[in-house]
Amino acid sequence: MAAEFGRLRKGAVNTTVAAVVVAALAASQAPGVTTDDAGRRVTTGTQPSVDTPAEDSATGNSPYYTDLPPLNSPNPSPSPTTPVTPVASEAGIPATVLDAYKKAATALQEAKPGCNLEWQLLAAIGKVESGQARGGRVDANGTTLTPILGPQLNGNGFASISDTDNGAYDGDSAYDRAVGPMQFIPSTWEWAGRDGNGDGKRDPNNVYDAALAAGHYLCRFGWDLSTQGDLSSAILSYNNSQDYLNLVLRWLEYYRKGTHEIPDGTGTLPSDRSDDNAGASPSPTPTPPGTPATPSTPSKPGGNDGSTSPKPTPPGTTPPSTPPSTPTPTPTPTDTVDHLEDAGTAKLTAMAGDTFTEKISARAETEAGKGVAKVRIRFTIIGQTDATFAGGEKYAAALTNSAGEAVAPALQAGEDTGEFVVRATLVGRSIPGLDYTATVTERAADTLARTSDTALTCTPGGEFADQVEVKATYKGAVADKVAATATLIKSADDPTENDKGPYFKDADGKVVRTLTGLTTDANGLLKLPKLYADDTTGTFLLRINTAGGATLTVELKVATAETSPAPTPSESEPASPSASASPSA
């Protein structure tokens, strides 16, 4: 009874009591509303945006299942005298599907710990999008037994998204459809897809791949899903609907209270959808395990009896007229693109750890060289590099503007130096792509300065009281993690290592006059080890060099301690007459 009452079909609740109950249930999870430790409702004031274009959402704003969570607890606690009653199957999550959600969340905790992704959020979205892969109808590797496809996004009650994958993912070469357990549209899967089960493929029909892709999708833009505002924004980016947001939040809260594992294929199939088409799916409904399938007899040319000859027209019946020819479909903007051109991208160079100041810009053109607006260009980072786009992704996609130009997000250099390639390709057409070469150079400094002006002096055989500390900058900004060397040199004109004078000590206490492998800290500071002096006196030089050409020469002095000279007669008592008198005088 509770499970039946917990279902909601959009537009179908028409009694006052049901409407009041549903409103009360949804209110506690409305965006901008949270609860404190005492269960009181608290308004955060953060409202999610609802103006994202359909093609920029994960699902293309496809329909979703609107079944509400059961009203009972997912893990009821029976009394000692009451036998345990199995929880309804719709409250459980199929074993393989649950494992995929948990593995994806664990991977995101390592890759993007600041996102704070919970596996329960993936479960909530998976429930709403596909009913947990239609009740867990997946094989041992996590691939759905039959494809899960959304309706054709042809603008008839849905968004209009022309085909972007030549039917490779959704089998539809006219329009896109949402695909798989997490219902990605093909153009989004192309850059968001992941290999979650380690088989070397990115398959939207595999729950491990789809769950990991959904996790990365929800964690882009640096969102922190432990905050209500970012959580709402992430969910809305997946399917841009306020009702969808409220429903996912309901399931999220339900799964947070606990759930249990059920065998694959035994989950309850969803019953209601947001397009008022209860239980509909363009893909065939899988046969429950243990039930022999009864395939329908396919139609044959000429009629359903298998004959290849046309059926004769009964006497007195007017033969049907020749059907009209199929009109030629209007070309989509993507169909008109002939090639891609660079749109004035400057040289792409950045130091390790920095953001590239220049962005990649590509232009989609017709054969006549006219720019094509509203087509999608995908940018992919290729090569052995840890560089990413902003948000930590290796893929990005952008729509062309009225001039036909699409600009990729900023590139973020990692610590790997050298060259890599960013390839721009047109989504939905197989035309040659454009390759852009980007270069990451080692971290550098252009200025070095001591942090103290205290003179560095020492007596022979002693140690210098002050350690040498310098600060590195590059174009006035702190130069962190910059490699440096320090050498005690013979003279300003002879930078070879000195064989006498001040020295450092290694871990074994041996004399060292050249230090390598030094690195400035996060504040650009470098503090050298303590310096010692041998018995040689004089003025000596310490030279510090960094990557990028910054150089600083520091003067070191070794001298004996000054002693007070013997007093002269003029500085002592007046000389006695006998001492001052001279016989010759």
Side-chain angles (χ1 to χ4, degrees), residues 152 198 369 374 376 387 407 460 485 503 528 558 568 583:
Q152 192 179 59
K374 297 184 178 180
R376 188 172 295 276
V407 180
T485 60
Y503 60 89
L528 299 182
V558 180
T568 62

Side-chain angles (χ1 to χ4, degrees), residues 21-119:
V21 172
V22 170
L25 288 172
S28 65
Q29 288 301 326
V33 177
T34 60
T35 58
D36 61 15
D37 292 338
R40 296 182 293 267
R41 291 176 61 194
V42 179
T43 301
T44 65
T46 302
Q47 295 297 328
S49 169
V50 290
D51 57 0
T52 305
E55 63 269 20
D56 288 337
S57 69
T59 68
N61 298 340
S62 294
Y64 52 90
Y65 291 105
T66 57
D67 300 50
L68 286 172
L71 296 180
N72 58 304
S73 169
N75 283 326
S77 300
S79 64
T81 58
T82 305
V84 176
T85 302
V87 182
S89 62
E90 66 184 278
I93 299 178
T96 299
V97 179
L98 179 60
D99 183 56
Y101 296 149
K102 291 184 176 181
K103 285 187 175 179
T106 299
L108 265 297
Q109 287 171 7
E110 297 178 1
K112 298 180 180 179
C115 177
N116 294 306
L117 174 75
E118 301 174 271
W119 69 262

Side-chain angles (χ1 to χ4, degrees), residues 57-386:
S57 69
T59 68
N61 298 340
S62 294
Y64 52 90
Y65 291 105
T66 57
D67 300 50
L68 286 172
L71 296 180
N72 58 304
S73 169
N75 283 326
S77 300
S79 64
T81 58
T82 305
V84 176
T85 302
V87 182
S89 62
E90 66 184 278
I93 299 178
T96 299
V97 179
L98 179 60
D99 183 56
Y101 296 149
K102 291 184 176 181
K103 285 187 175 179
T106 299
L108 265 297
Q109 287 171 7
E110 297 178 1
K112 298 180 180 179
C115 177
N116 294 306
L117 174 75
E118 301 174 271
W119 69 262
Q120 289 91 342
L121 176 58
L122 297 176
I125 290 177
K127 179 68 175 181
V128 172
E129 291 295 346
S130 69
Q132 312 298 21
R134 295 190 63 77
R137 271 93 175 153
V138 296
D139 63 19
N141 294 319
T143 302
T144 57
L145 299 179
T146 55
I148 301 175
L149 299 174
Q152 192 179 59
L153 297 175
N154 56 11
N156 184 17
F158 313 112
S160 178
I161 303 179
S162 298
D163 175 61
T164 63
D165 66 330
N166 291 324
Y169 293 119
D170 56 14
D172 192 327
S173 59
Y175 292 92
D176 271 350
R177 299 170 182 254
V179 182
M182 303 303 278
Q183 290 288 278
F184 279 96
I185 54 175
S187 59
T188 301
W189 181 260
E190 274 298 312
W191 63 265
R194 294 292 191 279
D195 176 15
N197 62 353
D199 64 356
K201 298 184 294 183
R202 298 183 299 120
D203 182 3
N205 296 298
N206 182 277
V207 69
Y208 287 100
D209 294 0
L212 184 59
H216 278 278
Y217 186 91
L218 294 165
C219 287
R220 71 200 196 288
F221 301 137
W223 279 328
D224 178 0
L225 303 187
S226 66
T227 66
Q228 185 66 38
D230 283 2
L231 176 62
S232 297
S233 296
I235 296 172
L236 281 172
S237 78
Y238 208 90
N239 193 314
N240 188 34
S241 161
Q242 192 74 30
D243 290 337
Y244 179 87
L245 171 64
N246 291 340
L247 185 59
V248 169
L249 290 174
R250 285 293 316 283
W251 278 105
L252 171 59
E253 184 63 22
Y254 180 77
Y255 287 135
R256 280 173 173 168
K257 294 176 181 177
T259 186
H260 61 283
E261 180 183 294
I262 60 175
D264 289 343
T266 63
T268 301
L269 294 177
S271 61
D272 300 303
R273 292 204 316 173
S274 60
D275 59 348
D276 294 329
N277 190 359
S281 175
S283 61
T285 301
T287 303
T291 303
T294 306
S296 59
T297 302
S299 299
K300 302 290 183 66
N304 289 330
D305 60 358
S307 171
T308 58
S309 303
K311 289 286 186 180
T313 303
T317 304
T318 303
S321 60
T322 302
S325 59
T326 303
T328 302
T330 302
T332 66
T334 302
D335 295 331
T336 67
V337 177
D338 176 75
H339 59 275
L340 298 178
E341 290 285 349
D342 175 45
T345 304
K347 186 177 181 180
L348 298 165
T349 303
M351 282 198 306
D354 288 353
T355 300
F356 284 74
T357 56
E358 297 294 336
K359 294 183 178 180
I360 296 173
S361 181
R363 175 179 161 91
E365 295 184 354
T366 64
E367 186 176 5
K370 182 180 179 181
V372 181
K374 297 184 178 180
V375 298
R376 188 172 295 276
I377 295 179
R378 182 170 60 251
F379 300 92
T380 305
I381 296 175
I382 300 172
Q384 295 298 319
T385 178
D386 56 354

